Amino acid sequence: MSTDFYKKILDNNKTWVETNLAKDPEFFSDLAKGQQPPLLWIGCSDSRVPANEIIGAKAGEVFVHRNIANMVINNDMNILSVLDYAVNHLKIKHIIVCGHYGCGGIKAAMGNDSLGFIDNWLRHIKNVYRLHKDKLDAITDETERFNAFVEVNVKEQVYDLAKTSIVQNAWNSGQEVSIHGWVYGINSGYVTDLNVNLSSNDKLDEIYQLQF
Ligand code: CO
């Protein structure tokens, strides 16, 4: 990071504050009272997929978790804590898992090169490939296979969210929580809704359905 860039982002912050205050003098004092975001966003860490910007959301409107390839790992304290807080405290009604075409994590997981420590994270993505190996291996065009893998990975993460005790507990107690899967097109800006929408554990394989 050059010194110029570093100075620029501090200046940008001042401009951002002034712009917001010019539009709404109470902007920050209102935000300071608390948050009630209707949405939890689980997206990729990729710098080209900024959660709020894509959906035109303001500060206070989206609770965000991002990691490499938008994974829902069920022993990841970070995502489980975010999910618990979002569902049980903020009472968020919608959760979106947003993957993106051209995802470097997905691409790396399709290959065999060792990239170091990150191999251990990518292994979770490889597990998704193994689950859908027949379908994915049948796609001969590599770009198409890559895109299909991005999509199928999002769907798996939607299901993995639904499998958590946190989400199933909420459903069991009558709390409305809907989980959706999206893919963002880095080269178009548009989001595609994959139409995988879960609002109960009915669609989970029976082995994952928790009884309370
Ligand atoms: Co990515």
Side-chain angles (χ1 to χ4, degrees), residues 6-28:
Y6 186 73
K7 187 181 175 306
K8 185 166 156 277
I9 57 176
L10 284 168
D11 290 344
N12 285 351
N13 171 254
K14 290 197 186 79
T15 309
W16 181 73
V17 171
E18 286 156 13
T19 306
N20 278 305
L21 289 177
K23 277 188 286 192
D24 176 8
E26 313 300 324
F27 186 79
F28 295 103

PDB file of all heavy atoms in Angstrom, residues 6-28:
ATOM      1  N   TYR A   6      -2.728   5.273   1.222  1.00  0.00           N
ATOM      2  CA  TYR A   6      -3.067   5.301   2.651  1.00  0.00           C
ATOM      3  C   TYR A   6      -3.656   6.655   3.049  1.00  0.00           C
ATOM      4  O   TYR A   6      -4.647   6.737   3.778  1.00  0.00           O
ATOM      5  CB  TYR A   6      -1.819   4.981   3.473  1.00  0.00           C
ATOM      6  CG  TYR A   6      -2.108   4.843   4.945  1.00  0.00           C
ATOM      7  CD1 TYR A   6      -2.776   3.731   5.443  1.00  0.00           C
ATOM      8  CD2 TYR A   6      -1.737   5.851   5.838  1.00  0.00           C
ATOM      9  CE1 TYR A   6      -3.062   3.609   6.786  1.00  0.00           C
ATOM     10  CE2 TYR A   6      -2.014   5.740   7.189  1.00  0.00           C
ATOM     11  CZ  TYR A   6      -2.681   4.617   7.659  1.00  0.00           C
ATOM     12  OH  TYR A   6      -2.957   4.513   8.989  1.00  0.00           O
ATOM     13  N   LYS A   7      -3.045   7.714   2.531  1.00  0.00           N
ATOM     14  CA  LYS A   7      -3.540   9.064   2.829  1.00  0.00           C
ATOM     15  C   LYS A   7      -4.919   9.270   2.200  1.00  0.00           C
ATOM     16  O   LYS A   7      -5.812   9.855   2.794  1.00  0.00           O
ATOM     17  CB  LYS A   7      -2.540  10.096   2.282  1.00  0.00           C
ATOM     18  CG  LYS A   7      -2.870  11.518   2.686  1.00  0.00           C
ATOM     19  CD  LYS A   7      -1.877  12.511   2.099  1.00  0.00           C
ATOM     20  CE  LYS A   7      -2.281  13.965   2.414  1.00  0.00           C
ATOM     21  NZ  LYS A   7      -3.659  14.278   2.007  1.00  0.00           N
ATOM     22  N   LYS A   8      -5.060   8.723   0.993  1.00  0.00           N
ATOM     23  CA  LYS A   8      -6.309   8.890   0.248  1.00  0.00           C
ATOM     24  C   LYS A   8      -7.491   8.251   0.984  1.00  0.00           C
ATOM     25  O   LYS A   8      -8.577   8.829   1.043  1.00  0.00           O
ATOM     26  CB  LYS A   8      -6.158   8.262  -1.141  1.00  0.00           C
ATOM     27  CG  LYS A   8      -7.338   8.479  -2.061  1.00  0.00           C
ATOM     28  CD  LYS A   8      -6.953   8.139  -3.494  1.00  0.00           C
ATOM     29  CE  LYS A   8      -8.153   7.779  -4.351  1.00  0.00           C
ATOM     30  NZ  LYS A   8      -8.581   6.385  -4.228  1.00  0.00           N
ATOM     31  N   ILE A   9      -7.278   7.066   1.565  1.00  0.00           N
ATOM     32  CA  ILE A   9      -8.418   6.421   2.217  1.00  0.00           C
ATOM     33  C   ILE A   9      -8.841   7.165   3.494  1.00  0.00           C
ATOM     34  O   ILE A   9     -10.013   7.177   3.840  1.00  0.00           O
ATOM     35  CB  ILE A   9      -8.192   4.902   2.478  1.00  0.00           C
ATOM     36  CG1 ILE A   9      -6.955   4.628   3.309  1.00  0.00           C
ATOM     37  CG2 ILE A   9      -8.154   4.137   1.152  1.00  0.00           C
ATOM     38  CD1 ILE A   9      -6.744   3.154   3.662  1.00  0.00           C
ATOM     39  N   LEU A  10      -7.886   7.803   4.150  1.00  0.00           N
ATOM     40  CA  LEU A  10      -8.256   8.613   5.317  1.00  0.00           C
ATOM     41  C   LEU A  10      -9.037   9.848   4.879  1.00  0.00           C
ATOM     42  O   LEU A  10     -10.031  10.225   5.514  1.00  0.00           O
ATOM     43  CB  LEU A  10      -6.994   9.029   6.087  1.00  0.00           C
ATOM     44  CG  LEU A  10      -6.350   7.927   6.936  1.00  0.00           C
ATOM     45  CD1 LEU A  10      -4.962   8.346   7.410  1.00  0.00           C
ATOM     46  CD2 LEU A  10      -7.230   7.564   8.131  1.00  0.00           C
ATOM     47  N   ASP A  11      -8.604  10.441   3.763  1.00  0.00           N
ATOM     48  CA  ASP A  11      -9.340  11.584   3.212  1.00  0.00           C
ATOM     49  C   ASP A  11     -10.738  11.161   2.759  1.00  0.00           C
ATOM     50  O   ASP A  11     -11.711  11.886   2.962  1.00  0.00           O
ATOM     51  CB  ASP A  11      -8.575  12.195   2.022  1.00  0.00           C
ATOM     52  CG  ASP A  11      -7.302  12.905   2.478  1.00  0.00           C
ATOM     53  OD1 ASP A  11      -7.194  13.186   3.688  1.00  0.00           O
ATOM     54  OD2 ASP A  11      -6.420  13.149   1.626  1.00  0.00           O
ATOM     55  N   ASN A  12     -10.798   9.980   2.121  1.00  0.00           N
ATOM     56  CA  ASN A  12     -12.091   9.456   1.661  1.00  0.00           C
ATOM     57  C   ASN A  12     -13.080   9.350   2.814  1.00  0.00           C
ATOM     58  O   ASN A  12     -14.266   9.615   2.654  1.00  0.00           O
ATOM     59  CB  ASN A  12     -11.921   8.055   1.051  1.00  0.00           C
ATOM     60  CG  ASN A  12     -11.294   8.089  -0.322  1.00  0.00           C
ATOM     61  OD1 ASN A  12     -11.124   9.157  -0.916  1.00  0.00           O
ATOM     62  ND2 ASN A  12     -10.937   6.924  -0.823  1.00  0.00           N
ATOM     63  N   ASN A  13     -12.562   8.912   3.951  1.00  0.00           N
ATOM     64  CA  ASN A  13     -13.433   8.762   5.112  1.00  0.00           C
ATOM     65  C   ASN A  13     -14.048  10.106   5.513  1.00  0.00           C
ATOM     66  O   ASN A  13     -15.251  10.205   5.783  1.00  0.00           O
ATOM     67  CB  ASN A  13     -12.665   8.143   6.286  1.00  0.00           C
ATOM     68  CG  ASN A  13     -13.466   8.182   7.559  1.00  0.00           C
ATOM     69  OD1 ASN A  13     -13.200   8.965   8.461  1.00  0.00           O
ATOM     70  ND2 ASN A  13     -14.506   7.358   7.643  1.00  0.00           N
ATOM     71  N   LYS A  14     -13.210  11.144   5.510  1.00  0.00           N
ATOM     72  CA  LYS A  14     -13.725  12.476   5.884  1.00  0.00           C
ATOM     73  C   LYS A  14     -14.811  12.919   4.914  1.00  0.00           C
ATOM     74  O   LYS A  14     -15.857  13.440   5.308  1.00  0.00           O
ATOM     75  CB  LYS A  14     -12.579  13.491   5.890  1.00  0.00           C
ATOM     76  CG  LYS A  14     -11.582  13.278   7.022  1.00  0.00           C
ATOM     77  CD  LYS A  14     -10.719  14.509   7.242  1.00  0.00           C
ATOM     78  CE  LYS A  14      -9.625  14.231   8.265  1.00  0.00           C
ATOM     79  NZ  LYS A  14      -8.486  13.478   7.677  1.00  0.00           N
ATOM     80  N   THR A  15     -14.560  12.680   3.622  1.00  0.00           N
ATOM     81  CA  THR A  15     -15.540  13.058   2.595  1.00  0.00           C
ATOM     82  C   THR A  15     -16.844  12.290   2.793  1.00  0.00           C
ATOM     83  O   THR A  15     -17.932  12.857   2.675  1.00  0.00           O
ATOM     84  CB  THR A  15     -14.965  12.757   1.185  1.00  0.00           C
ATOM     85  OG1 THR A  15     -13.676  13.359   1.106  1.00  0.00           O
ATOM     86  CG2 THR A  15     -15.863  13.297   0.093  1.00  0.00           C
ATOM     87  N   TRP A  16     -16.705  11.001   3.086  1.00  0.00           N
ATOM     88  CA  TRP A  16     -17.876  10.134   3.290  1.00  0.00           C
ATOM     89  C   TRP A  16     -18.728  10.646   4.460  1.00  0.00           C
ATOM     90  O   TRP A  16     -19.948  10.735   4.369  1.00  0.00           O
ATOM     91  CB  TRP A  16     -17.399   8.701   3.540  1.00  0.00           C
ATOM     92  CG  TRP A  16     -18.474   7.700   3.743  1.00  0.00           C
ATOM     93  CD1 TRP A  16     -19.305   7.181   2.796  1.00  0.00           C
ATOM     94  CD2 TRP A  16     -18.841   7.074   4.982  1.00  0.00           C
ATOM     95  NE1 TRP A  16     -20.170   6.265   3.367  1.00  0.00           N
ATOM     96  CE2 TRP A  16     -19.895   6.181   4.709  1.00  0.00           C
ATOM     97  CE3 TRP A  16     -18.368   7.163   6.292  1.00  0.00           C
ATOM     98  CZ2 TRP A  16     -20.498   5.388   5.694  1.00  0.00           C
ATOM     99  CZ3 TRP A  16     -18.958   6.374   7.279  1.00  0.00           C
ATOM    100  CH2 TRP A  16     -20.013   5.502   6.977  1.00  0.00           C
ATOM    101  N   VAL A  17     -18.065  11.002   5.543  1.00  0.00           N
ATOM    102  CA  VAL A  17     -18.786  11.538   6.712  1.00  0.00           C
ATOM    103  C   VAL A  17     -19.524  12.815   6.329  1.00  0.00           C
ATOM    104  O   VAL A  17     -20.723  12.962   6.595  1.00  0.00           O
ATOM    105  CB  VAL A  17     -17.806  11.815   7.881  1.00  0.00           C
ATOM    106  CG1 VAL A  17     -18.507  12.569   9.008  1.00  0.00           C
ATOM    107  CG2 VAL A  17     -17.196  10.524   8.403  1.00  0.00           C
ATOM    108  N   GLU A  18     -18.807  13.715   5.659  1.00  0.00           N
ATOM    109  CA  GLU A  18     -19.410  15.004   5.300  1.00  0.00           C
ATOM    110  C   GLU A  18     -20.593  14.827   4.359  1.00  0.00           C
ATOM    111  O   GLU A  18     -21.625  15.487   4.492  1.00  0.00           O
ATOM    112  CB  GLU A  18     -18.343  15.912   4.660  1.00  0.00           C
ATOM    113  CG  GLU A  18     -17.359  16.464   5.689  1.00  0.00           C
ATOM    114  CD  GLU A  18     -16.010  16.861   5.075  1.00  0.00           C
ATOM    115  OE1 GLU A  18     -15.905  16.952   3.829  1.00  0.00           O
ATOM    116  OE2 GLU A  18     -15.056  17.057   5.863  1.00  0.00           O
ATOM    117  N   THR A  19     -20.443  13.899   3.375  1.00  0.00           N
ATOM    118  CA  THR A  19     -21.519  13.654   2.411  1.00  0.00           C
ATOM    119  C   THR A  19     -22.764  13.121   3.120  1.00  0.00           C
ATOM    120  O   THR A  19     -23.886  13.561   2.843  1.00  0.00           O
ATOM    121  CB  THR A  19     -21.060  12.630   1.343  1.00  0.00           C
ATOM    122  OG1 THR A  19     -19.845  13.107   0.778  1.00  0.00           O
ATOM    123  CG2 THR A  19     -22.102  12.469   0.241  1.00  0.00           C
ATOM    124  N   ASN A  20     -22.558  12.180   4.012  1.00  0.00           N
ATOM    125  CA  ASN A  20     -23.692  11.604   4.748  1.00  0.00           C
ATOM    126  C   ASN A  20     -24.365  12.640   5.633  1.00  0.00           C
ATOM    127  O   ASN A  20     -25.599  12.695   5.701  1.00  0.00           O
ATOM    128  CB  ASN A  20     -23.240  10.403   5.583  1.00  0.00           C
ATOM    129  CG  ASN A  20     -23.158   9.136   4.755  1.00  0.00           C
ATOM    130  OD1 ASN A  20     -24.125   8.730   4.116  1.00  0.00           O
ATOM    131  ND2 ASN A  20     -21.998   8.522   4.734  1.00  0.00           N
ATOM    132  N   LEU A  21     -23.572  13.457   6.311  1.00  0.00           N
ATOM    133  CA  LEU A  21     -24.146  14.471   7.204  1.00  0.00           C
ATOM    134  C   LEU A  21     -24.894  15.544   6.430  1.00  0.00           C
ATOM    135  O   LEU A  21     -25.905  16.071   6.901  1.00  0.00           O
ATOM    136  CB  LEU A  21     -23.047  15.098   8.073  1.00  0.00           C
ATOM    137  CG  LEU A  21     -22.465  14.181   9.156  1.00  0.00           C
ATOM    138  CD1 LEU A  21     -21.339  14.885   9.898  1.00  0.00           C
ATOM    139  CD2 LEU A  21     -23.545  13.709  10.135  1.00  0.00           C
ATOM    140  N   ALA A  22     -24.415  15.825   5.218  1.00  0.00           N
ATOM    141  CA  ALA A  22     -25.084  16.824   4.389  1.00  0.00           C
ATOM    142  C   ALA A  22     -26.484  16.332   3.993  1.00  0.00           C
ATOM    143  O   ALA A  22     -27.444  17.100   3.919  1.00  0.00           O
ATOM    144  CB  ALA A  22     -24.251  17.119   3.143  1.00  0.00           C
ATOM    145  N   LYS A  23     -26.582  15.009   3.739  1.00  0.00           N
ATOM    146  CA  LYS A  23     -27.879  14.417   3.365  1.00  0.00           C
ATOM    147  C   LYS A  23     -28.792  14.241   4.571  1.00  0.00           C
ATOM    148  O   LYS A  23     -29.994  14.373   4.495  1.00  0.00           O
ATOM    149  CB  LYS A  23     -27.651  13.057   2.677  1.00  0.00           C
ATOM    150  CG  LYS A  23     -27.314  13.183   1.187  1.00  0.00           C
ATOM    151  CD  LYS A  23     -27.290  11.819   0.520  1.00  0.00           C
ATOM    152  CE  LYS A  23     -26.049  11.034   0.904  1.00  0.00           C
ATOM    153  NZ  LYS A  23     -25.815   9.829   0.089  1.00  0.00           N
ATOM    154  N   ASP A  24     -28.182  13.853   5.687  1.00  0.00           N
ATOM    155  CA  ASP A  24     -28.956  13.547   6.892  1.00  0.00           C
ATOM    156  C   ASP A  24     -28.103  13.839   8.124  1.00  0.00           C
ATOM    157  O   ASP A  24     -27.242  13.049   8.497  1.00  0.00           O
ATOM    158  CB  ASP A  24     -29.368  12.063   6.862  1.00  0.00           C
ATOM    159  CG  ASP A  24     -30.087  11.644   8.129  1.00  0.00           C
ATOM    160  OD1 ASP A  24     -30.399  12.518   8.973  1.00  0.00           O
ATOM    161  OD2 ASP A  24     -30.348  10.434   8.274  1.00  0.00           O
ATOM    162  N   PRO A  25     -28.357  14.970   8.761  1.00  0.00           N
ATOM    163  CA  PRO A  25     -27.541  15.359   9.926  1.00  0.00           C
ATOM    164  C   PRO A  25     -27.587  14.332  11.062  1.00  0.00           C
ATOM    165  O   PRO A  25     -26.690  14.293  11.895  1.00  0.00           O
ATOM    166  CB  PRO A  25     -28.172  16.684  10.379  1.00  0.00           C
ATOM    167  CG  PRO A  25     -28.932  17.180   9.195  1.00  0.00           C
ATOM    168  CD  PRO A  25     -29.373  15.978   8.432  1.00  0.00           C
ATOM    169  N   GLU A  26     -28.652  13.499  11.081  1.00  0.00           N
ATOM    170  CA  GLU A  26     -28.783  12.504  12.167  1.00  0.00           C
ATOM    171  C   GLU A  26     -28.190  11.145  11.781  1.00  0.00           C
ATOM    172  O   GLU A  26     -28.351  10.171  12.512  1.00  0.00           O
ATOM    173  CB  GLU A  26     -30.262  12.298  12.539  1.00  0.00           C
ATOM    174  CG  GLU A  26     -31.076  13.554  12.728  1.00  0.00           C
ATOM    175  CD  GLU A  26     -30.524  14.448  13.832  1.00  0.00           C
ATOM    176  OE1 GLU A  26     -30.038  13.887  14.830  1.00  0.00           O
ATOM    177  OE2 GLU A  26     -30.527  15.684  13.652  1.00  0.00           O
ATOM    178  N   PHE A  27     -27.572  11.048  10.580  1.00  0.00           N
ATOM    179  CA  PHE A  27     -27.135   9.753  10.054  1.00  0.00           C
ATOM    180  C   PHE A  27     -26.352   8.938  11.072  1.00  0.00           C
ATOM    181  O   PHE A  27     -26.697   7.803  11.389  1.00  0.00           O
ATOM    182  CB  PHE A  27     -26.299   9.960   8.781  1.00  0.00           C
ATOM    183  CG  PHE A  27     -25.914   8.674   8.086  1.00  0.00           C
ATOM    184  CD1 PHE A  27     -26.819   8.000   7.275  1.00  0.00           C
ATOM    185  CD2 PHE A  27     -24.627   8.141   8.234  1.00  0.00           C
ATOM    186  CE1 PHE A  27     -26.465   6.813   6.626  1.00  0.00           C
ATOM    187  CE2 PHE A  27     -24.263   6.950   7.592  1.00  0.00           C
ATOM    188  CZ  PHE A  27     -25.185   6.293   6.788  1.00  0.00           C
ATOM    189  N   PHE A  28     -25.323   9.530  11.630  1.00  0.00           N
ATOM    190  CA  PHE A  28     -24.470   8.760  12.549  1.00  0.00           C
ATOM    191  C   PHE A  28     -25.067   8.652  13.946  1.00  0.00           C
ATOM    192  O   PHE A  28     -24.935   7.612  14.599  1.00  0.00           O
ATOM    193  CB  PHE A  28     -23.046   9.335  12.576  1.00  0.00           C
ATOM    194  CG  PHE A  28     -22.354   9.189  11.248  1.00  0.00           C
ATOM    195  CD1 PHE A  28     -22.211  10.260  10.382  1.00  0.00           C
ATOM    196  CD2 PHE A  28     -21.871   7.945  10.838  1.00  0.00           C
ATOM    197  CE1 PHE A  28     -21.605  10.119   9.137  1.00  0.00           C
ATOM    198  CE2 PHE A  28     -21.254   7.788   9.595  1.00  0.00           C
ATOM    199  CZ  PHE A  28     -21.128   8.880   8.750  1.00  0.00           C
TER     200      PHE A  28
END
